[in-house]
Amino acid sequence: MAFDSGSFEQDVPVSVDQPSGGDPQLAAKWARVRGRLQNEVGEVEYRTLLRQMTLVAFDEAEIIVQLPTKFLRDWVRTNYGDKLLALWQAEDRRIRRVEFVVANAGAADPAPEEPPIAPPPETRADASRAEPEARPEMAAPLEQRFTFDNFVVGKPNEFAYACARRVAEHPASAGFNPLFLYGGVGLGKTHLMHAMAWDLVSRNAGRTVPVSVTYMSAEKFMYRFIAAIRSQSTMEFKEQLRSVDVLMIDDLQFLIGKDNTQEEFFHTFNALVDAGKQIVVSSDKSPSDLSGLEDRLRTRLGCGMVADVHATTFELRISILEAKATRAGVAVPSKVLELLAHKITSNVRELEGALNRLVAHANLFGRPVTLETTQEVLHDILKAHDRKVTIEEIQRRVAEHYNIRMNDMSSARRARAVARPRQVAMFLAKQLTSRSLPEIGRKFGNRDHTTVMHAIGRITELMERDASFAEDIELLRRMLESA
Amino acid sequence: MSAIRQLALPFPERFDYAAADFIRAPSNAEALAWLRRTADWPDGRLAIWGEEGCGKSHLLAVWAAEKGARPIQAPALRGMPDLPSGDRIAIDDADATCDEEALLHVLNAAHENQVPVLMAARSPPSRWRLRLPDLASRVRAVTAVRILPAEDELLRLLLTRLLAARRVPVARSVQEWLLLRLTRTPAAIREAAARLDRASLERHRPVTRGLAARVLDDFESGLILHDEETLTADHSADSSAYRPLL
């Protein structure tokens, strides 16, 4: 890929040498003008500032040149306007003026149409297909992939899973209302709730009055409640909530400290339970540990079934990764799965996130998933921090590696046994730090920057010629970066 | 002693973050590849990260503008903000979020509405210091792509660009002289362009090698440029690029 400023969306050449009308003579003149201009102003200026010029119109006395941005137009007009006119006049004496215009942003750089990030779910929790007058705005959409079939069961979550299945099969049965699921973030509580909703809806699809399930986060509950107060429609809000068969509220801990919303939830809770409707609640703590929640609410939350989801074990993490990789249809070596299961222990969301990244990267760049690509792509997760390497560390490590003394890095000795390692250290200092070449030179016994340049050139050349030497340098680089 | 200098009024660089002004290079190729494929982002979320001044805000703005959106500054997020209109959400300085619940709310609401979210930050999401566990676990699952340290050639093009944006003519030879001596980071290049601009304005002189040398000396001795640009919150420019360097 070239260094270039130009179109963001497409990797296409940005200059157009064919003016509108396609007059080959005119195109040849324009090419000559550009060529001369490039010779006069130099390569860097030309490429950064002038390459994006397009000839858009021409009549006998006037040339119109287009640039993609206002900044470029102004800059080119001020600095190169006279020069361009002179160059044109050399081609065609009739030309009197060169005009500069800005490209129409929309026309010049069309953004390709992209599909939405995910297909819209076909079903909502409240079964809006079966129930036309349902309340689409009340519930949050359900994740298609969060079904019971896709839930990987292991020791840490088998109890919560069994409770969820039971409630989906027999909602509002004694001892299971409310169902209170708790555990750390990203362990599958939301997955279980969505799975229950899918199951309830499909199980009751044949009924004349379809079952109405509403799932929402506590955050959304609060948001809706506040919005209802603002728009003076709290009665509507209450009625809508109290007419559902199953209400699921995710992440209840969000209501801590929000007294008015808690109060409203408490009343909704009581109304639904009294009417024999099922309530499912999730939280990061058990009801008794939810300090900051009103006592009467805590008591009611704990009087049904309380099921905890424990942190995952290594075995469960492996099973989850295997299931997920199979579903994604991507071959992931078992060594990679083990690395992920070993390194990402905090929760399933992060674990799946890491695997998603790997798969997306493999698809985007057409590379298979290997241990090497994993280390590269997930570098930021697998390493707690990137180290800033100092020139001194580089010198010390290189001196150790070649078995020379540290002060030979700055000594005047020119024997190859000393000079070559010194050159290697200079090369690595350029690669691994952002120091300027004169600064690097100073750290190596006040050497001149040209000496540093020579060293970099020499090592680059040696690496190209000698594969084992290149490997050696690569090894040093990795050791320094991960030390 | 030197003659009295005229106070130079700030004349900030203005890039307006146009797509055509972005300099493509191997160091940002992977980020660009991801940005071109919004539909492929896992969970509809992506974070780009990299050193100060590496072009994150520029990319963020270009990506957002494709669908008529404007980037949100994460430190300004408060409470339960309504989702901004537009089909994309771009959050700048995401690792400097003050109100974590507000960011969580935006992420959740965007997910629910199937709106893709792009975040830009100096560090990868896995290393942001977050206190809210729900936010932390979501953020850590976000696909992160790094903009690598800038190549020499990119720094060369950047200096030329920045000087042009400030309307400061500097001979190629002086630019090369500077490039060799400046710390090889985009932030240092930006700072140098700002200092040269100011020095040239104050002295009513074009930038010669002598003037460049003086600017560089001040730079190295740790003199910090106090410029209105550092203080005004200019959302159209990457104000973080003007923070003191040394």
Side-chain angles (χ1 to χ4, degrees):
Chain A
M1 170 173 190
F3 287 89
D4 208 352
S5 54
S7 166
F8 172 71
E9 273 297 334
Q10 286 139 2
D11 237 345
V12 293
V14 282
S15 61
V16 181
D17 283 323
Q18 200 64 267
S20 48
D23 175 355
Q25 253 194 330
L26 186 59
K29 283 181 190 171
W30 179 223
R32 280 197 295 273
V33 167
R34 293 169 68 109
R36 291 197 187 107
L37 190 63
Q38 181 168 2
N39 287 341
E40 282 192 34
V41 303
E43 176 68 15
V44 176
E45 267 76 7
Y46 185 80
R47 254 197 305 154
T48 356
L49 304 162
L50 294 164
R51 217 188 121 206
Q52 295 172 70
M53 284 190 301
T54 315
L55 183 59
V56 288
F58 168 82
D59 71 22
E60 295 206 336
E62 189 179 61
I63 290 287
I64 298 180
V65 171
Q66 189 184 61
L67 285 138
T69 63
K70 191 170 166 298
F71 148 63
L72 280 172
R73 182 204 57 190
D74 295 347
W75 177 261
V76 173
R77 180 160 54 200
T78 314
N79 294 279
Y80 305 103
D82 293 345
K83 202 164 277 176
L84 257 179
L85 179 61
L87 289 170
W88 265 112
Q89 285 174 335
E91 288 289 335
D92 187 337
R93 260 185 295 167
R94 289 168 303 172
I95 305 276
R96 287 280 158 267
R97 272 208 328 249
V98 178
E99 256 317 304
F100 297 91
V101 296
V102 181
N104 178 337
D109 192 16
E113 273 304 309
E114 280 184 325
I117 59 167
E122 284 170 13
T123 322
R124 286 186 176 263
D126 51 2
S128 49
R129 270 190 313 190
E131 197 181 24
E133 74 277 32
R135 310 149 298 274
E137 81 286 2
M138 282 302 285
L142 298 176
E143 286 277 351
Q144 298 265 8
R145 59 198 166 96
F146 284 175
T147 60
F148 279 130
D149 287 344
N150 287 342
F151 191 85
V152 182
V153 188
K155 269 254 171 295
N157 58 26
E158 61 188 8
F159 181 63
Y161 175 80
C163 292
R165 284 223 89 128
R166 165 72 192 263
V167 168
E169 279 161 29
H170 309 286
S173 55
F176 283 85
N177 201 12
L179 173 61
F180 191 100
L181 301 167
Y182 78 93
V185 292
L187 294 179
K189 302 185 297 291
T190 301
H191 188 146
L192 282 178
M193 292 174 101
H194 286 211
M196 289 161 77
W198 285 123
D199 198 49
L200 275 158
V201 170
S202 71
R203 207 175 270 283
N204 295 284
R207 283 183 13 178
T208 40
V209 185
V211 64
S212 158
V213 184
T214 289
Y215 162 88
M216 70 172 90
S217 63
E219 180 204 6
K220 182 150 186 178
F221 181 89
M222 183 171 101
Y223 193 64
R224 293 276 173 240
F225 180 55
I226 292 172
I229 293 174
R230 272 200 212 127
S231 63
Q232 296 181 318
S233 55
T234 45
M235 277 317 289
E236 235 179 296
F237 175 81
K238 284 174 206 276
E239 276 168 20
Q240 283 184 355
L241 268 183
R242 289 170 198 187
S243 62
V244 302
D245 296 315
V246 181
L247 176 66
M248 300 186 179
I249 300 290
D250 208 352
D251 288 327
L252 192 80
Q253 72 274 7
F254 198 83
L255 295 192
I256 286 175
K258 279 121 187 168
D259 296 345
N260 287 336
T261 313
Q262 267 184 45
E263 173 89 17
E264 179 58 31
F265 177 67
F266 181 70
H267 294 310
T268 304
F269 183 101
N270 288 336
L272 285 171
V273 172
D274 291 347
K277 307 296 174 69
Q278 175 74 47
I279 290 191
V280 183
V281 171
S282 87
S283 167
D284 63 347
K285 293 189 190 73
S286 71
S288 54
D289 289 335
L290 276 173
S291 55
L293 221 54
E294 274 187 72
D295 286 346
R296 53 179 185 168
L297 180 56
R298 281 202 311 204
T299 312
R300 297 228 56 174
L301 286 170
C303 69
M305 178 57 71
V306 177
D308 50 353
V309 187
H310 295 279
T312 55
T313 56
F314 180 79
E315 290 71 32
L316 179 56
R317 289 196 292 278
I318 287 284
S319 313
I320 289 169
L321 288 169
E322 280 170 349
K324 179 126 186 112
T326 309
R327 236 178 299 139
V330 176
V332 183
S334 57
K335 278 215 169 347
V336 170
L337 298 183
E338 280 165 24
L339 176 75
L340 297 186
H342 182 66
K343 288 275 187 180
I344 305 169
T345 56
S346 42
N347 62 60
V348 181
R349 186 181 287 138
E350 287 169 33
L351 191 68
E352 291 193 343
L355 188 65
N356 283 340
R357 279 175 68 172
L358 280 182
V359 171
H361 188 271
N363 290 338
L364 189 57
F365 296 101
R367 289 164 62 185
V369 178
T370 64
L371 208 51
E372 283 73 37
T373 56
T374 304
Q375 301 271 13
E376 197 187 303
V377 173
L378 300 181
H379 167 90
D380 56 295
I381 298 183
L382 300 175
K383 288 245 180 65
H385 45 84
D386 282 309
R387 291 182 63 261
K388 281 244 185 273
V389 185
T390 64
I391 295 181
E392 288 75 15
E393 278 174 83
I394 294 170
Q395 292 175 327
R396 196 175 320 117
R397 180 67 72 150
V398 174
E400 275 169 23
H401 185 79
Y402 289 102
N403 214 2
I404 64 170
R405 286 175 306 153
M406 176 70 177
N407 57 13
D408 275 332
M409 284 291 165
S410 43
S411 76
R413 290 182 59 198
R414 296 172 73 169
R416 180 184 280 195
V418 183
R420 184 58 42 81
R422 197 187 289 135
Q423 288 177 331
V424 168
M426 286 180 186
F427 173 86
L428 288 169
K430 166 88 185 339
Q431 298 282 309
L432 300 176
T433 77
S434 52
R435 301 288 165 206
S436 69
L437 300 191
E439 242 180 304
I440 295 174
R442 278 199 285 281
K443 299 272 190 186
F444 287 84
N446 268 327
R447 284 178 158 79
D448 192 68
H449 69 82
T450 51
T451 310
V452 183
M453 273 163 144
H454 174 75
I456 294 163
R458 187 86 189 102
I459 298 301
T460 311
E461 196 188 304
L462 282 173
M463 285 174 73
E464 277 162 15
R465 276 215 316 254
D466 182 345
S468 72
F469 180 73
E471 252 173 55
D472 216 28
I473 305 299
E474 182 58 21
L475 182 74
L476 272 168
R477 190 180 67 76
R478 280 201 196 172
M479 284 197 313
L480 280 159
E481 276 185 326
S482 63
Chain B
M1 283 301 285
S2 63
I4 296 168
R5 292 183 191 173
Q6 186 189 332
L7 181 71
L9 291 170
F11 188 36
E13 65 179 82
R14 291 213 179 269
F15 258 174
D16 299 328
Y17 288 146
D21 284 335
F22 187 80
I23 304 172
R24 289 183 283 149
S27 55
N28 55 44
E30 191 178 339
L32 273 171
W34 277 104
L35 289 178
R36 290 195 190 104
R37 302 275 293 272
T38 306
D40 295 330
W41 299 357
D43 259 348
R45 293 172 183 153
L46 185 79
I48 47 175
W49 64 282
E51 63 183 331
E52 180 182 355
C54 70
K56 305 180 291 287
S57 300
H58 195 152
L59 285 179
L60 194 83
V62 170
W63 178 83
E66 276 175 9
K67 298 275 178 181
R70 277 179 64 97
I72 306 168
Q73 307 297 314
L77 277 177
R78 288 284 183 283
M80 296 186 85
D82 288 323
L83 276 195
S85 57
D87 294 327
R88 291 179 170 186
I89 294 179
I91 306 173
D92 207 354
D93 280 336
D95 50 351
T97 301
C98 304
D99 185 341
E100 295 186 10
E101 282 192 5
L103 180 58
L104 177 67
H105 170 72
V106 170
L107 290 180
N108 284 346
H111 192 252
E112 207 169 277
N113 293 301
Q114 298 177 14
V115 175
V117 178
L118 175 66
M119 295 184 276
R122 295 246 180 110
S123 54
S126 56
R127 295 179 202 154
W128 299 353
R129 290 162 196 275
L130 297 169
R131 275 158 300 156
L132 197 63
D134 300 72
L135 178 63
S137 76
R138 276 169 181 79
V139 154
R140 289 174 65 93
V142 170
T143 295
V145 50
R146 183 182 181 190
I147 298 179
L148 297 166
E151 303 86 347
D152 291 350
E153 186 63 8
L154 175 54
L155 296 176
R156 173 171 288 120
L157 297 178
L158 182 65
L159 180 62
T160 306
R161 271 270 162 158
L162 290 169
L163 292 171
R166 289 173 171 274
R167 319 283 196 268
V168 190
V170 180
R172 183 80 252 145
S173 59
V174 178
Q175 290 193 33
E176 292 300 329
W177 185 90
L178 268 168
L179 282 166
L180 186 63
R181 285 159 182 84
L182 286 167
T183 300
R184 292 175 291 121
T185 61
I189 299 288
R190 268 171 209 280
E191 179 83 7
R195 284 167 186 261
L196 288 171
D197 185 8
R198 163 161 281 214
S200 152
L201 265 178
E202 281 178 351
R203 294 175 175 81
H204 297 291
R205 277 175 48 195
V207 178
T208 56
R209 181 170 299 187
L211 184 57
R214 286 183 64 171
V215 167
L216 195 72
D217 278 347
D218 287 351
F219 210 148
E220 286 183 342
S221 60
L223 195 79
I224 288 162
L225 180 75
H226 285 294
D227 192 319
E228 276 79 349
E229 293 159 41
T230 6
L231 306 173
T232 51
D234 178 1
H235 292 307
S236 71
D238 185 359
S239 51
S240 64
Y242 299 104
R243 280 187 202 143
L245 286 166
L246 302 168

